[in-house]
Amino acid sequence: MQATAPSHLRPAGAKPNPGLTPQMLNHAAWVTHDVAATTDFYTRIMGMELASTVFDDHVPSTGDKIPYFHIFFRMGDGSTLAFFDAPGVPAPAKSTHPAYEIFNHIALQAKDRDEVLRWHAWLVSNGVEVIGPTDHKGMILSIYFHDPAGIRLEITTPLDKEWNRHTEKGYADLKMWLDCKEKAQAEGKDVPTELIRMIKEVRKRYD
């Protein structure tokens, strides 16, 4: 596995990775304004175990005086999703672009295609609005929905068994993307327009 990007992508003088790679997702965390609804959703709807809780009158890492209740929900591999209930914290500001509401999400893996479809039926039967199933170019099959805190979730299963082993192609695609952006900027052209043009040129490899 190549943990460090090729030298041309690294800042001048940057050191290569010495062999440190995270072993798994320990937890990802967000704020919830209704910890009871969040607990019902992740235990009853998502089938996770309530794994652990912590509460305090300040944040240990920063010292901020924010009383909070921290709750963790465990998945099948032991990784967890976590939430902070912190009364008095205002609702977040609205996003400046729909892309933030679409792209920012967490994907949870299902066993296979049939299980994704079972998830779809189960969520819909509980009144959860679901998008999909969506086939992502033969790579993964996914459905999308939101939890009570407004977090966008994805249930997905790989269709390509090697979907996360395409490192060489990934770096080639990254170079193509960065080169297109750099060229558009240097020529004073609209970057999104030039990226769309580039995408259309190479899309045939996926069709």
Side-chain angles (χ1 to χ4, degrees):
M1 181 179 67
Q2 184 172 353
T4 303
S7 58
H8 70 276
L9 292 174
R10 300 199 301 265
K15 298 178 180 179
N17 186 283
L20 294 170
T21 302
Q23 295 303 300
M24 61 175 280
L25 174 68
N26 182 284
H27 69 277
W30 300 269
V31 170
T32 176
H33 290 280
D34 188 342
V35 71
T38 293
T39 299
D40 174 66
F41 182 84
Y42 282 96
T43 56
R44 184 176 62 85
I45 302 298
M46 300 303 295
M48 299 181 190
E49 288 282 347
L50 196 166
S52 190
T53 56
V54 179
F55 57 89
D56 207 335
D57 61 356
H58 70 283
V59 180
S61 60
T62 66
D64 285 280
K65 301 295 184 181
I66 306 172
Y68 67 88
F69 184 84
H70 196 15
I71 189 166
F72 298 78
F73 303 98
R74 188 176 66 252
M75 291 181 275
D77 71 344
S79 59
T80 61
L81 299 183
F83 293 85
F84 290 90
D85 185 18
V89 172
K94 290 189 178 296
S95 297
T96 56
H97 192 281
Y100 293 104
E101 305 296 336
I102 298 170
F103 295 152
N104 293 343
H105 71 285
I106 187 162
L108 310 176
Q109 186 157 314
K111 181 175 63 175
D112 53 28
R113 178 190 294 266
D114 288 343
E115 191 165 275
V116 172
L117 299 179
R118 287 180 61 203
W119 272 107
H120 185 284
W122 167 242
L123 292 165
V124 170
S125 74
N126 281 275
V128 178
E129 185 176 345
V130 181
I131 295 175
T134 301
D135 184 331
H136 293 278
K137 312 290 187 183
M139 179 181 289
I140 56 175
L141 180 74
S142 304
I143 59 174
Y144 300 89
F145 52 100
H146 290 84
D147 79 349
I151 306 302
R152 193 174 199 235
L153 300 174
E154 173 183 354
I155 293 287
T156 188
T157 194
L159 301 177
D160 171 8
K161 292 182 179 179
E162 299 296 314
W163 78 274
N164 60 352
R165 293 288 186 270
H166 300 304
T167 304
E168 184 176 345
K169 174 183 172 298
Y171 278 123
D173 285 350
L174 176 59
K175 183 178 187 306
M176 187 188 312
W177 184 266
L178 293 175
D179 287 349
C180 182
K181 287 175 61 178
E182 182 178 352
K183 184 172 184 291
Q185 291 166 347
E187 296 176 354
K189 296 180 178 179
D190 180 68
V191 173
T193 298
E194 291 304 298
L195 288 170
I196 290 171
R197 181 191 58 77
M198 181 270 289
I199 291 166
K200 287 181 177 178
E201 289 179 358
V202 301
R203 183 178 286 161
K204 60 180 178 289
R205 74 182 184 186
Y206 297 115
D207 296 336

